[in-house]
Amino acid sequence: MNKNISLPYRVYLDITNACPLNCLHCYANSSTQHLNNELTLSELKAIAIQLVELNINNLVISGGEPFCRIDLFDFLDFCLEKKIIITLLTNGILIDSVVAKKLKGLAIDLRISLDGLSETTHDYIRGCGNFKKVLDVIRFLQSEH
């Protein structure tokens, strides 16, 4: 390896293009139709192993919407076992009480998208009713943690 090339400190990994929203700014062309063309859990784990081998221990997981993956928690658990620091980016709308309980025990940095300070702005970008949903999820997570 060329010693003049420095490795990244952090890697961003979009683990899905699936998403129940159709946000104006989305570069992933997200929809739920992409589920058949995803990296497998084994492939995601192989990427995590490669990161560890390269001494990159900071992984930002995004999508689409990561919570569309039914194996998300398997991947998170695997990464945490490998001592990878995880930041999980989500729009938040798929977080319910079951998901919140699973999240509670994980040492991850959960980041929920909130576009602007008003319902008008956020809902214009992400769709009608999503501002209220996101605030409800944030309040719920605060009360549970």
Side-chain angles (χ1 to χ4, degrees), residues 33-48:
Q33 298 173 6
H34 294 286
L35 291 173
N36 294 329
N37 192 20
E38 304 279 330
L39 291 172
T40 66
L41 180 58
S42 295
E43 291 168 330
L44 291 173
K45 287 179 177 181
I47 291 169

Side-chain angles (χ1 to χ4, degrees), residues 97-109:
S97 61
V98 173
V99 171
K101 281 183 183 179
K102 290 180 180 180
L103 287 170
K104 190 172 187 176
L106 297 180
I108 65 170
D109 181 11

Side-chain angles (χ1 to χ4, degrees), residues 23-72:
C23 302
L24 292 178
H25 63 275
C26 186
Y27 60 87
N29 191 22
S30 296
S31 75
T32 54
Q33 298 173 6
H34 294 286
L35 291 173
N36 294 329
N37 192 20
E38 304 279 330
L39 291 172
T40 66
L41 180 58
S42 295
E43 291 168 330
L44 291 173
K45 287 179 177 181
I47 291 169
I49 290 168
Q50 290 175 18
L51 293 176
V52 170
E53 289 171 351
L54 291 169
N55 292 321
I56 301 169
N57 71 340
N58 196 317
L59 178 62
V60 179
I61 299 172
S62 187
E65 173 51 50
F67 287 105
C68 285
R69 291 214 41 151
I70 60 172
D71 57 3
L72 173 63

Side-chain angles (χ1 to χ4, degrees), residues 88-103:
L88 182 61
L89 306 179
T90 176
N91 59 39
I93 66 165
L94 296 178
I95 298 175
D96 58 16
S97 61
V98 173
V99 171
K101 281 183 183 179
K102 290 180 180 180
L103 287 170

Side-chain angles (χ1 to χ4, degrees), residues 6-23:
S6 62
L7 292 172
Y9 164 75
R10 172 183 304 123
V11 169
Y12 288 74
L13 179 61
D14 293 339
I15 64 169
T16 184
N17 281 332
C19 182
L21 301 181
N22 190 18
C23 302

